[in-house]
Amino acid sequence: ALGRAPSPTWLRPLFESSYFALRGSLVAPALIHGAALAVCWVIGALAARAYELDAIVMGVEQTSDGTVNDSPNKTLTPVIFRVLQAGAFSTGLLILATQCDLFVEFGGHFVQYGDSEATDFRIQVAAVELVNDVIFEALSLLTWRVYLAIQTDRNGRF
């Protein structure tokens, strides 16, 4: 239908055969998509050093030599900064992965707007999926990290 948005590419069966069109045929593509997102976000978190104490707990400072000091101001700024830093790196990885996916899908040909209606449509679908993934993951992870930072004291306890 003309007024209906297309299904996400990750919500289609892996095989277009009636033999494989069994219940649960959409589980594998959704799990693969989720695993790819998780890999991007974990690599981003590692790159942003989001595992350090000052990125997790509100009100501490970690010096360059590794010592931890109480911070006079108990703000969420370091926590939010690390999440945004990790998110920026992860978004870059996700854009690169999307470009590689399009490259492979179109047989090793770099696609751009204006090549054909099919490529234009596929690029638009990929762009919408990318924006949706980034916004949803950013809101989810930022909310979770802020909640944990508020709930956790300096010793890492709730």
Side-chain angles (χ1 to χ4, degrees):
L2 197 57
R4 185 171 90 64
S7 297
T9 56
W10 52 268
L11 195 56
R12 295 186 187 133
L14 286 177
F15 303 104
E16 297 294 333
S17 168
S18 61
Y19 179 74
F20 290 106
L22 303 171
R23 292 167 118 195
S25 64
L26 301 177
V27 173
L31 288 176
I32 292 168
H33 179 74
L37 288 176
V39 166
C40 288
W41 281 97
V42 166
I43 292 172
L46 291 173
R49 297 178 318 187
Y51 52 85
E52 292 180 345
L53 190 62
D54 61 339
I56 299 169
V57 178
M58 185 172 62
V60 297
E61 292 176 341
Q62 193 163 359
T63 60
S64 60
D65 63 351
T67 59
V68 177
N69 303 320
D70 284 327
S71 176
N73 55 355
K74 296 215 180 258
T75 66
L76 289 169
T77 305
V79 175
I80 293 172
F81 177 73
R82 291 287 181 92
V83 172
L84 294 178
Q85 199 175 23
F89 192 88
S90 301
T91 301
L93 282 177
L94 196 55
I95 290 170
L96 182 64
T98 302
Q99 291 292 324
C100 291
D101 180 46
L102 290 172
F103 182 76
V104 169
E105 183 177 333
F106 287 101
H109 173 69
F110 289 107
V111 293
Q112 59 185 359
Y113 282 114
D115 286 348
S116 70
E117 286 186 26
T119 59
D120 290 352
F121 181 74
R122 179 61 183 98
I123 291 170
Q124 290 173 353
V125 168
V128 168
E129 288 177 5
L130 186 68
V131 168
N132 288 341
D133 286 341
V134 168
I135 289 173
F136 177 75
E137 292 289 328
L139 287 175
S140 299
L141 291 174
L142 185 62
T143 303
W144 178 247
R145 290 300 291 259
V146 167
Y147 172 76
L148 285 180
I150 292 170
Q151 297 297 322
T152 309
D153 67 5
R154 184 185 186 285
N155 296 320
R157 298 178 304 219
F158 283 105

